[in-house]
Amino acid sequence: MEIGVLGFQGSVAEHIAATKEAARKLGISCRVSDVRTSAGLERLDGLIIPGGESTTMYKLCEREGMLERMREVPALFGTCAGAILLAKKIHNEEEGQKTLGLMDIVVERNAYGTQTESFEENLEVQLGPPDSEPVTMSAIFIRAPKIRSAGENVTVLANRGGEIVACGQREGGRFYLAACFHPELSTTLIHEHFLRRLLSG
Ligand code: GLN
C-alpha cells in the first residue's frame, strides 16, 4: 500500500511514524512518505492531511496544483485542520474560505477557544462494528474545530459531550475519515482503522 502525508504543515513526521507502526501491527506492507507536489499524489492509496492552519494549507495545495488529484485519492484522513479541509461546509468561514468539499460535515473552526485552551482527555472511540466495545484513547485537542452537523451517510466514531469528534464516510468508492483531535500524538488506533478501511475498500 502507498500512503502519503501532506507535508506542508503540522505533525507530518508523527503521522508517518504512526502510519508505519499501524501497518506493522496489522502486518501490512506499506510505504509512507510526505507529499508536497501533485506528482507525489499519483498512485496513492491513501492521503493523510495533518493539522496546521486550514486557510494556509488550502492555499499551498492550490498553489501547487494539487487539489484535483487530492480529491481523486481513494481514501483521505484529516486531523484537525485536515478535517476542516475535508468538510463540505465551514460554519464560520473566513471570507469564502474554501475546502476540498468531500465529507458531508459542517465544521466550526477554533470552536474550543484559543491555542492556550487546548487540552488532552480520554475518549471512547468506536472502531469496530456498532455493537462492539469502544476503545479508550487519549485525545489531544489543539485549537480544534467542532463538527457541528453530519449527514446520514456519516458514521460517528467518537462523541464528546454529545458532539461528534471523529467520523467516517464512504462515498462513491472512496473513504473519508475525520478527527478533530490529534491521534498521531497519542495512539496508532485511528491510523490502524484507516488502513483497515482501506484494505476492506
Ligand atoms: N485552528 C486551525 C484551523 O482552523 C486548526 C488547528 C489544528 O490543526 N490543530 O485551521
Side-chain angles (χ1 to χ4, degrees), residues 5-20:
V5 177
L6 189 68
F8 295 128
Q9 293 189 317
S11 37
V12 179
E14 288 82 352
H15 268 297
I16 291 176
T19 309
K20 285 185 175 165

Side-chain angles (χ1 to χ4, degrees), residues 51-55 79-81 84 109-110 142-145 182:
E53 210 281 328
S54 51
T55 49
T79 56
C80 206
I84 297 170
R109 296 181 62 197
N110 306 324
I142 306 170
R143 209 172 183 215
H182 287 265

Side-chain angles (χ1 to χ4, degrees), residues 148-168:
R148 283 285 173 216
S149 61
E152 297 178 347
N153 41 352
V154 172
T155 306
V156 177
L157 303 179
N159 278 292
R160 181 184 177 272
E163 290 172 332
I164 305 167
V165 290
C167 57

